[in-house]
Amino acid sequence: MLIPRAFAPGRDAYMQQRADHAVSGYAYLGLDGAWHAAGRMGMLGQSTDTPQDQAENARRPNEHLETYPSDTLLVAVACHI
């Protein structure tokens, strides 16, 4: 039986990874006005981020969202360079 690579670490690790990426994007602006990103954006959309940076950046928005008041208005913006 062929098991997709995404499932290789096990069900719990896969489910955590999916939960971490539920609210993800390249970067976000926190309520404190701080810009949070996995790396630094360069020419033609190239970034300095590493796989570890990407994993950390996937978890961080969820952690911040859990601390926001329930009436916080969230806005998603797609901005391409």
Side-chain angles (χ1 to χ4, degrees):
M1 175 183 195
L2 181 61
I3 298 175
R5 193 179 314 188
F7 296 125
R11 183 182 188 280
D12 291 340
Y14 175 77
M15 294 301 288
Q16 183 61 54
Q17 180 191 38
R18 298 297 12 136
D20 289 346
H21 286 85
V23 180
S24 65
Y26 178 76
Y28 67 96
L29 187 63
L31 290 181
D32 60 357
W35 181 260
H36 303 273
R40 295 191 56 185
M41 183 62 68
M43 297 282 293
L44 304 172
Q46 298 296 311
S47 176
T48 62
D49 59 348
T50 65
Q52 292 82 10
D53 294 333
Q54 293 170 3
E56 165 91 14
N57 196 56
R59 284 187 298 274
R60 219 174 329 170
N62 294 326
E63 292 169 357
H64 280 208
L65 282 174
E66 291 172 0
T67 67
Y68 292 173
S70 62
D71 61 347
T72 302
L73 178 64
L74 301 176
V75 177
V77 177
C79 180
H80 301 271
I81 56 172

